Each structure stands twice: as C-alpha cells, then as structure tokens.
Amino acid sequence: MRILLIEDETAIANFIAEGLKEEGFAVDMAGNGKTGLHMALDNLEEYDLILLDWMLPGMSGIEICRAIRKENQTVPVIFLTAKDTVDDVVFGLETGANDYLRKPFAFEELLARIRVLLRNSTGAQHIFRYADIEMNLDTHRVTKGGAPVELTRKEFALLELLLRHKGKACRRTRIIEKVWDIHFDHDNSVIDVYINALRKKLDSPGSLSFIQTIRGVGYRVNDDA
Ligand code: CA
C-alpha cells in the first residue's frame, strides 16, 4: 500500500514516514503544499491514502483537499492538524477529508485510523490466508501451519500485495509502485530476490511454490487455497 504524506515539519514527517515504512507501507513525502498537490494529482491512482497537514507553506491543506476531491472522490484523506476547535474540524471534513488527527498524536492511533480507512475504501480484509499461511495486518504477524514466520518489512508488504490480489497477476510495475517508493532506482530484478525469500520462508517442501511466476509479467498467488 502506498501513502502520500504532505507535511512541512520535517521532524514530524520523518517520524510518521519511518513508522509507516516499518509497517510495510511505501511512503512518498512532500514538504510543502504545491509539491504535495502536484504529487497527488500526478499519481492519484497510485496512492491508497493521503496524509495531509492543515497548515502548509505555499498552499493550505484545505485547498489541496478540495483540488484532490475534484479529481478523485474515493482516495481516503486524513488531516493532521493542530487546529482543534469543533468548527475547524467540521470545516475540514466538509472539504472532503475522511478523518482528522490532532497533533500531537500517538503513532499507534494514526496507524489504527489508516487501517480502518483502508479497510473501508478497499473493502480490504485484515487477515489473509493461503493454505496453511496466515497473515494478520493488525498484529503484523505471519504464520505458517500456526508457527510464526519472521519477514522483513519489504517481504511483508510484498506478501500483502500478492495475497490481497489472490488469483490475479501482480505486474512488476505494480509491485514496484506499491511496495517500493518514488525514489526507487534499482534494477527491478530486486523483486525476484524478495519473491525468492518469500518462497524460501513460506513454501511447503516438496510441492510447487505458492507464488507462480508469470513470465514477462509478474507474479500470482492462485485463488485455489
Ligand atoms: Ca504544518
């Protein structure tokens, strides 16, 4: 899942971005309103959620939210705001934001709200299963046959993407968009390295891999288990 974070206070932005990356999200950051709006409008289809500071240099969060809503009614937007009067909050929600969080906030609260919105917007489950593999997004745990399996954050994000789209092909370009961030400049053969790591950790000995390679396209987890 890919999140755009528009926030001008570097310390807060880094704190949020680091936390989200640890949870397996791909995060793109903008430090002012204009850049944020450009990034949002240029890649609206790619973002699963937008975190938007209210007070930004160049352009306010309110203006950005309105501009985003003109183009896209569905992408979830959460306001991060120090403004906390009831009127401000109502006004913020009326511009089309889905939720708001008052600064200072605990990262765990932000994460919980993000998960709720993503679940609503994508109809997303928080538990995925394939055969004896189970992935729980809330507890951030993966088990195989009931035994915990340790995954790196990229492995976790990649597995989530594959299981979320069970039965469908995950194209390589889509994997890069959803699991890596905008600064990704490696040879995308890095995907194969992560796929192999997942196979090593989660395949059952003696049977075909649970991840199928679709030559020249990408990967797929079948919808048969
Ligand atoms: Ca600000």
Side-chain angles (χ1 to χ4, degrees):
M1 301 292 250
R2 186 177 186 122
I3 292 179
L4 174 62
L5 169 60
I6 308 175
E7 166 65 78
D8 62 310
E9 284 164 77
T10 315
I12 296 178
N14 288 339
F15 164 74
I16 295 172
E18 280 312 305
L20 290 175
K21 285 177 186 173
E22 274 169 26
E23 293 295 323
F25 291 98
V27 183
D28 295 337
M29 292 159 78
N32 67 65
K34 286 210 164 99
T35 308
L37 182 61
H38 278 296
M39 287 172 75
L41 295 183
D42 286 352
N43 305 288
L44 258 185
E45 302 307 314
E46 310 307 336
Y47 290 119
D48 298 290
L49 186 139
I50 297 174
L51 294 175
L52 184 54
D53 185 23
W54 181 300
M55 310 266 266
L56 287 161
M59 188 176 228
S60 77
I62 297 284
E63 291 171 86
I64 294 172
C65 190
R66 285 208 181 105
I68 290 171
R69 280 293 173 254
K70 260 191 204 161
E71 301 294 321
N72 180 307
Q73 299 297 318
T74 56
V75 62
V77 175
I78 300 179
F79 265 124
L80 307 176
T81 172
K83 288 180 169 268
D84 59 2
T85 70
V86 173
D87 284 352
D88 285 338
V89 167
V90 169
F91 181 60
L93 295 177
E94 277 173 359
T95 64
N98 301 75
D99 201 354
Y100 67 94
L101 211 51
R102 291 177 186 139
K103 298 177 187 172
F105 51 79
F107 180 75
E108 289 306 315
E109 185 177 4
L110 175 64
L111 187 62
R113 289 176 187 233
I114 288 173
R115 294 242 186 259
V116 167
L117 283 177
L118 289 177
R119 209 173 295 158
N120 294 344
S121 71
T122 60
Q125 304 158 258
H126 54 131
I127 296 178
F128 298 106
R129 292 188 184 86
Y130 182 86
D132 63 346
I133 300 167
E134 184 175 298
M135 170 172 225
N136 186 320
L137 299 183
D138 290 337
T139 60
H140 206 76
R141 278 166 60 94
V142 175
T143 57
K144 180 172 171 62
V149 178
E150 291 297 324
L151 299 183
T152 67
R153 53 170 107 148
K154 290 289 182 221
E155 289 166 3
F156 190 93
L158 181 54
L159 181 65
E160 179 187 345
L161 184 71
L162 289 165
L163 292 183
R164 199 180 275 287
H165 299 96
K166 209 157 77 167
K168 294 183 190 143
C170 286
R171 293 175 180 279
R172 300 178 69 87
T173 47
R174 180 149 187 89
I175 293 174
I176 291 291
E177 281 164 11
K178 292 293 181 186
V179 178
W180 278 269
D181 59 34
I182 211 167
H183 302 297
F184 184 85
D185 53 3
H186 310 285
D187 175 0
N188 74 15
S189 65
V190 70
I191 296 172
D192 307 309
V193 174
Y194 281 86
I195 290 284
N196 284 335
L198 283 179
R199 285 173 167 158
K200 229 178 197 166
K201 291 180 180 180
L202 293 168
D203 275 348
S204 298
S207 54
L208 290 174
S209 175
F210 79 108
I211 304 172
Q212 295 195 317
T213 303
I214 314 168
R215 211 168 285 279
V217 177
Y219 295 96
R220 176 179 58 220
V221 171
N222 277 341
D223 202 7
D224 58 1

